[in-house]
Amino acid sequence: MSPVRAHVGDLRPIYAIMRRINTGADVQSVLEAIAEGVAQAVGFEVAAISYLTRDLELEVVTVAGSTDARDQLVGSRVPLAEMEQELALAEPLGSLLFIPAERFADVPTTGWIPAVDPSTDASHAGDRWRPEDTLRSPLLSPDGELLGLLSVDLPIDGQRPDAARRELLEMYAELAGVALNNAQRASDLEDQVRLSRAVEAINSTAAESLAVAHIVESSVAPVAEALDADTVWLRVFGDGGVADQGQSARHPAGGGRATPGMLEHAAGDARTAWADGVVVLARIGEDGSVGTAERAPVAGFGQHEFTGVRPRPTDAERVPVAGGTAGWVHRRDAPAQPATADQSQVVEFLRVASADNVLLAPLGAGPDCLGYLVAVRRRELADWSTSEVHAAGQIARNLGQAVLNARLLEHEQVLVAQLESLDHYKSDLISTVSHELRTPLTSISGHLELIEDDPRGATAASFEVVRRNLERVLSLIDDLLTLKRLTDSEAPVASGVVDLQQAAIDAASAVRPSAVEAGVTLVVVPSGGPLLISGDRDELERVALNLVGNAVKYSRRGDTVTVSTERTERFVRLVCHDTGIGISKADQEELFTEFFRSTNPDALTQPGTGLGLSIVRRIVQRHGGSIRLESDLGVGSTFTVRLPLSRVTS
């Protein structure tokens, strides 16, 4: 055979492989064809191809030649760090890396060593191939990234390959690199398409929601599925950015509960990440150490852009393999450091869950960080891909916008409800005031007409009716003015020292004539001495007078009203108890609202505006106190006012 025909015969398999690559054949079949070509055309009994996984392990995917080698090697993995020790011993032969057997004295080989009859290896003279000899070719992308290795063993002629065979082997290695690069690009593109659809679906679901809680609960499972994460936590801060409040969800549900300190630490990391425009990646070591990986810029965070194309790594992100003779790989984790005091709780929480690879993406909109999502993977799973990191960032940004929209809607609904309530309040005010003014004024008008018709026959009864109704009108006006003052948030509380016991005694004295007239027994049970509190004397006396007056008004003949005061270490109490008509449970729910009148027919026979108890509650609250009601219909009521004790000693 002529030399030209022989070379054509060597190149024909390469041509066939190139056609398969160009027509888009699956990468596994292309790699198998390359391995077969190396074994047959270059002349080796064993040819193996491995690719570099995302977690930096070389996995053998195809072996041509020896069945024994195929059974032993296919599917096996070797960490790149171990392989790198071997490659560092290599003698470069062009792009090939040849490691003579004698260099393995201190470093164990990671490859397959055939069983060789010692009688066939009696001489090591010249260029004879030895069983421990190793020849590998790095499979590189066009810009030099390590994608895998082509390894050969047992040359058919028993000799170390000459320059011509090495050149042919380099051609096959180049093709394998092209095939792996195309496969990686196709995989990245497929991953980007899948993640883009997932991002769009999650965004669509979140955008349709009108409640923050629903956004969080409906998104956490799809996020976990999209990112292929073992666990995902999604948290939205409460009002004011409070970390341990707001809405949160976990997928899968269950697991340990994070402490407030852990939540605050995660919130701080999220706020920093949002301000810097990054997604943060970290690795938790089995010993509790922390390695912080890249802080990946993501679209919509700060000024960063992301086009959907895998970014070209900078020199700072490239780590040479075997001094650069085997290309480079993406920089992984920074050197692991012991967990700081702030990190320790978080690290232990994740370590118990066997979480290794951690991703934190901040949720936000505009300048505000609104929450975060944390996704983790177990130690045996791969690191996050570039597409997954950017997808996580886009998901978090979209969820942040959805949360902001939902909160704006919630605030709008609150404002609408407040406006509706204000409108009802205005209507109630007009209706109540009109009714309460019309009745006494009509009575006054009628009696004045009688007096005008017969001035000489005017009786004391008519003047008494006019006086009583004028007092009713003035009382209503006084209540309205008091309510207006109390509802003014800027109205200060007058500073003074008030004896609550004396206020109770004075109120009972003022109401006693009405009690005697109604046949109600009024009893005052004083405490052992003055009960001094800080506040407005007029307002606090009004509280006592209103409660005692109501108790007498809504009691029947023969009932008893008891007014007592007492002191504790920090508070004073005014208790007004009656055995009167009582208040139903339904009425108790609205008793302290403005213009509310009881639904009890017996109570409705008594005149009133429905403002008295509302004024009492507002005064008590202005003084830092509280009011409690205990009552049952038909058996009486007990009102208890509790107010802070004055610093002035009694």
Side-chain angles (χ1 to χ4, degrees), residues 204-337:
S204 177
T205 301
E208 293 173 357
S209 180
L210 303 179
V212 174
H214 184 262
I215 291 173
V216 173
E217 292 169 2
S218 64
S219 299
V220 63
V223 169
E225 181 179 359
L227 298 181
D228 192 23
D230 289 306
T231 308
V232 167
W233 290 271
L234 187 57
R235 176 170 289 274
V236 174
F237 302 146
D239 291 338
V242 181
D244 59 350
Q245 297 178 10
Q247 304 293 333
S248 64
R250 179 187 189 273
H251 181 82
R257 292 181 60 85
T259 65
M262 294 165 57
L263 296 177
E264 187 57 45
H265 181 83
D269 288 345
R271 293 186 184 102
T272 301
W274 180 257
D276 294 344
V278 297
V279 169
V280 179
L281 308 178
R283 181 184 291 275
I284 308 299
E286 293 187 23
D287 59 353
S289 59
V290 181
T292 302
E294 58 188 303
R295 293 161 53 83
V298 176
F301 289 17
Q303 303 298 319
H304 301 293
E305 296 293 337
F306 176 62
T307 62
V309 178
R310 185 171 182 172
R312 187 180 183 88
T314 64
D315 290 340
E317 296 172 326
R318 297 179 175 182
V319 179
V321 179
T325 58
W328 55 268
V329 294
H330 283 275
R331 180 177 296 278
R332 312 307 289 181
D333 301 335
Q337 301 291 336

Side-chain angles (χ1 to χ4, degrees), residues 404-416:
L404 178 62
N405 293 341
R407 281 188 169 167
L408 290 175
L409 180 60
E410 289 175 355
H411 292 161
E412 181 180 341
Q413 291 172 338
V414 169
L415 289 175
V416 170

Side-chain angles (χ1 to χ4, degrees), residues 303-513:
Q303 303 298 319
H304 301 293
E305 296 293 337
F306 176 62
T307 62
V309 178
R310 185 171 182 172
R312 187 180 183 88
T314 64
D315 290 340
E317 296 172 326
R318 297 179 175 182
V319 179
V321 179
T325 58
W328 55 268
V329 294
H330 283 275
R331 180 177 296 278
R332 312 307 289 181
D333 301 335
Q337 301 291 336
T340 64
D342 290 341
Q343 294 173 328
S344 58
Q345 281 189 326
V346 178
V347 169
E348 183 60 24
F349 182 81
L350 295 172
R351 200 160 66 92
V352 169
S354 297
D356 179 26
N357 299 306
V358 183
L359 177 152
L360 183 147
L363 276 65
D368 300 322
C369 178
L370 304 177
Y372 56 84
L373 73 83
V374 173
V376 300
R377 283 176 174 163
R378 295 189 305 272
R379 294 187 179 92
E380 62 269 22
L381 298 181
D383 291 333
W384 308 99
S385 69
T386 302
S387 299
E388 288 169 337
V389 172
H390 284 281
Q394 290 178 328
I395 290 170
R397 181 194 61 189
N398 293 341
L399 289 178
Q401 187 61 54
V403 166
L404 178 62
N405 293 341
R407 281 188 169 167
L408 290 175
L409 180 60
E410 289 175 355
H411 292 161
E412 181 180 341
Q413 291 172 338
V414 169
L415 289 175
V416 170
Q418 289 175 342
L419 289 174
E420 291 177 346
S421 176
L422 183 61
D423 187 59
H424 290 312
Y425 184 87
K426 181 188 70 174
S427 299
D428 289 342
L429 175 63
I430 294 173
S431 176
T432 301
V433 171
S434 299
H435 173 75
E436 292 299 322
L437 287 176
R438 178 182 295 276
T439 300
L441 289 177
T442 299
S443 179
I444 291 171
S445 177
H447 282 274
L448 287 176
E449 287 179 2
L450 291 175
I451 294 172
E452 287 179 352
D453 291 343
D454 186 9
R456 294 180 181 274
T459 65
S462 293
F463 287 107
E464 176 61 23
V465 170
V466 171
R467 183 191 63 77
R468 189 169 59 248
N469 281 284
L470 283 174
E471 288 179 351
R472 184 175 173 183
V473 170
L474 291 173
S475 176
L476 173 61
I477 293 172
D478 182 55
D479 283 347
L480 290 172
L481 292 175
T482 300
L483 183 64
K484 176 184 180 300
R485 180 172 58 82
L486 295 176
T487 54
D488 185 357
S489 59
E490 297 182 359
V493 178
S495 178
V497 178
V498 182
D499 183 353
L500 187 63
Q501 177 173 262
Q502 188 61 49
I505 294 173
D506 292 344
S509 298
V511 175
R512 192 172 299 279

Side-chain angles (χ1 to χ4, degrees), residues 511-593:
V511 175
R512 192 172 299 279
S514 299
V516 172
E517 183 180 351
V520 176
T521 301
L522 181 56
V523 179
V524 177
V525 182
S527 64
L531 300 178
L532 303 182
I533 57 176
S534 299
D536 186 307
R537 179 181 301 277
D538 291 339
E539 290 186 3
L540 293 173
E541 288 179 348
R542 188 185 188 102
V543 168
L545 183 61
N546 194 305
L547 292 178
V548 177
N550 274 359
V552 171
K553 181 194 295 187
Y554 296 107
S555 292
R556 298 154 298 196
R557 182 169 295 275
D559 287 337
T560 301
V561 173
T562 303
V563 182
S564 63
T565 53
E566 59 184 27
R567 170 179 177 170
T568 65
E569 184 177 347
R570 294 189 300 150
F571 298 98
V572 294
R573 289 188 178 91
L574 168 64
V575 181
C576 186
H577 170 72
D578 67 72
T579 59
I581 64 176
I583 305 167
S584 68
K585 298 299 182 184
D587 285 351
Q588 290 179 36
E589 295 180 2
E590 300 183 74
L591 191 63
F592 293 98
T593 58

